[in-house]
Amino acid sequence: MAEFILTGQEFQDRAMRAQAVLRKTNLDALLVFSTESEPAGVRYFSDYWPSFETAGVLIPRDGEPALIIGPESLTYASARTKIATVIQTMDFRESSQPDYPGSSHPDWKTILTRFNVKKLGISGFHMFPYTIMMNIAAALGGMENISNADALLRQVTMKKSPLEIACLRKAAKISELGFKAVLENIRPGMSEVELCGIATAAMLANGAEATGYPVWCCSGPNSDQAISRPSLREVQCGEIIHFSIGAKVEGYSASIGRPVVLGKCPDEVRKFMQVGLDASNMTFDSMRAGLQASEVAKKIHGFIIEKGYGDAILYGPAHGCGQMECEYPFLETSSDYVLEENMTFMADMFLHRNQMGFRWEDGLIVRANGPAEELSSFGRQLNILEV
């Protein structure tokens, strides 16, 4: 039987920290909203991950939180959630909007009155469905009683607990196994989809509950795509084959991003990949607690510009990670926050030009003294493979 890292106390502590932040505002409650594709907020507080439907966690200023789900997920949610109170509502049903004749579930006025909510903050605000927002506004007497609470939640989630870091470490190690399986099996003529299947199978066989995101392999001209999905294109010698491989462990996602070249590597490609690798290593050396995030980003960008590849920068050099593989905050030249111990990031710089591109990506933990701690250092080298 699998041994779990996260404890019931961990989830209770999270709700208490959220309430401590909430009490500093004029809000009566926080509604944390999540979807099947963006489950992080609800899972953070409940360990429930919606499937087909959407979900929310209602956290009042005082008292116990409630998990709010759609009409079809009660047995599933009850088996997963760490929150005792589970409430069903029709608004969180799947997007095809079935009627569920005969079902009777409370509306927002009933739910919010039960928790004495007159002013509500919503986290996941920018993906919250308009129609449901209007229903909640009607229950509260107008949109003036609803506010964007994303910034409030960030105060709770940005610095990771020891158990969260343990989940990320495990996810990183399993991600390594996915990439290792690719290196052991890749051959010219295999499709991008086939190679993603090899990585996925290795991760699921070694303890991942899922992939952290849709794993991708982008080869040749497809490598120019910073965000992509694998195709049936067959990989070839002498071209960049870019992999982004990540495992999910108890909701936490880590990632390994690497370029691979089969056979002889053109000098232009080798030089380009080396600049990206050097920038990635510099990111680990530069991210230290107490530093302004923008200064770190400017240093890395400056190095790449000095090497003659300034036009190849799309974003980077890092973004937060946790229950989302790519979560707030991004580390950019405009970032106005200070790095703090136990913040976790993916060092992730995507470079592209002339219909080729790649990323070097690895997880890191910001430390008070010295450079960042690596979640994984597997294969951070030029992967040019003989065939």
Side-chain angles (χ1 to χ4, degrees), residues 374-386:
E374 300 182 15
L375 287 174
S376 170
S377 58
F378 179 80
R380 202 156 73 237
Q381 61 188 21
L382 295 183
N383 294 293
I384 301 171
L385 309 180
E386 294 184 3

Side-chain angles (χ1 to χ4, degrees), residues 51-364:
S51 179
F52 286 97
E53 299 182 335
T54 53
V57 172
L58 185 67
I59 304 173
R61 292 173 68 94
D62 298 289
E64 297 298 317
L67 172 64
I68 305 176
I69 63 171
E72 200 169 336
S73 299
L74 183 59
T75 53
Y76 166 43
S78 298
R80 289 293 302 260
T81 181
K82 301 298 191 295
I83 293 176
T85 301
V86 180
I87 300 172
Q88 295 172 276
T89 187
M90 292 293 282
D91 266 0
F92 282 167
R93 67 190 182 272
E94 56 189 276
S95 58
S96 55
Q97 297 286 291
D99 288 335
Y100 296 103
S103 298
S104 178
H105 300 298
D107 59 15
W108 287 108
K109 187 170 184 61
T110 302
I111 294 170
L112 296 173
T113 299
R114 173 178 170 179
F115 288 87
N116 196 30
V117 178
K118 296 180 176 63
K119 290 187 176 295
L120 180 70
I122 295 179
S123 177
F125 191 87
H126 294 288
M127 62 181 180
F128 201 86
Y130 174 81
T131 53
I132 304 178
M133 184 79 78
M134 291 301 97
N135 289 343
I136 293 177
L140 292 175
M143 274 297 297
E144 64 271 18
N145 295 314
I146 298 174
S147 61
N148 180 349
D150 284 337
L152 292 180
L153 188 60
R154 289 168 187 161
Q155 297 178 48
V156 180
T157 62
M158 275 179 62
K159 294 177 69 173
K160 302 301 188 285
S161 73
L163 295 185
E164 290 181 280
I165 290 173
C167 289
L168 285 168
R169 283 199 180 102
K170 185 175 179 180
K173 294 302 180 185
I174 296 173
S175 300
E176 292 177 6
L177 297 177
F179 184 56
K180 182 179 179 182
V182 166
L183 294 181
E184 291 173 348
N185 290 280
I186 187 170
R187 300 290 184 275
M190 298 177 75
S191 74
E192 294 174 351
V193 170
E194 183 180 3
L195 289 163
C196 288
I198 289 171
T200 300
M203 290 189 290
L204 296 181
N206 284 280
E209 63 180 7
T211 58
Y213 51 87
V215 172
W216 67 72
C217 166
C218 312
S219 61
N222 293 346
S223 68
D224 193 41
Q225 302 166 7
I227 297 176
S228 186
R229 294 186 185 275
S231 72
L232 294 175
R233 184 183 187 274
E234 295 179 352
V235 303
Q236 302 170 25
C237 290
E239 65 181 11
I240 292 178
I241 308 166
H242 162 232
F243 292 93
S244 284
I245 297 170
K248 186 186 290 288
V249 171
E250 296 189 42
Y252 287 80
S253 299
S255 187
I256 288 180
R258 297 285 189 277
V260 173
V261 176
L262 300 177
K264 182 175 174 56
C265 180
D267 290 342
E268 175 193 8
V269 173
R270 183 189 294 269
K271 180 182 177 183
F272 191 21
M273 293 193 301
Q274 185 66 55
V275 168
L277 175 56
D278 291 343
S280 179
N281 290 334
M282 184 181 292
T283 302
F284 277 87
D285 291 340
S286 302
M287 293 186 70
R288 301 169 186 238
L291 295 180
Q292 188 78 16
S294 60
E295 294 306 309
V296 177
K298 289 173 184 177
K299 177 181 178 180
I300 308 306
H301 283 226
F303 167 77
I304 295 169
I305 292 168
E306 180 184 334
K307 293 295 182 179
Y309 291 92
D311 63 300
I313 299 172
L314 178 62
Y315 71 84
H319 56 73
C321 71
Q323 290 218 342
M324 294 171 65
E325 188 275 342
C326 184
E327 70 178 35
Y328 184 90
F330 275 74
L331 192 138
E332 302 174 278
T333 56
S334 58
S335 297
D336 61 357
Y337 62 92
V338 174
L339 295 172
E340 296 182 46
E341 187 176 19
N342 291 335
M343 284 183 173
T344 54
F345 290 85
M346 301 303 302
D348 179 13
M349 173 68 76
F350 181 80
L351 301 177
H352 71 128
R353 64 158 49 160
N354 300 331
Q355 287 195 301
M356 62 179 176
F358 57 84
R359 62 165 37 86
W360 295 92
E361 183 170 13
D362 282 294
L364 64 85

Side-chain angles (χ1 to χ4, degrees), residues 16-36:
M16 292 172 63
R17 293 202 307 274
Q19 287 176 321
V21 171
L22 191 58
R23 292 185 191 114
K24 298 176 183 178
T25 73
N26 67 343
L27 299 174
D28 299 309
L30 174 68
L31 179 63
V32 182
F33 176 75
S34 288
T35 67
E36 182 176 21

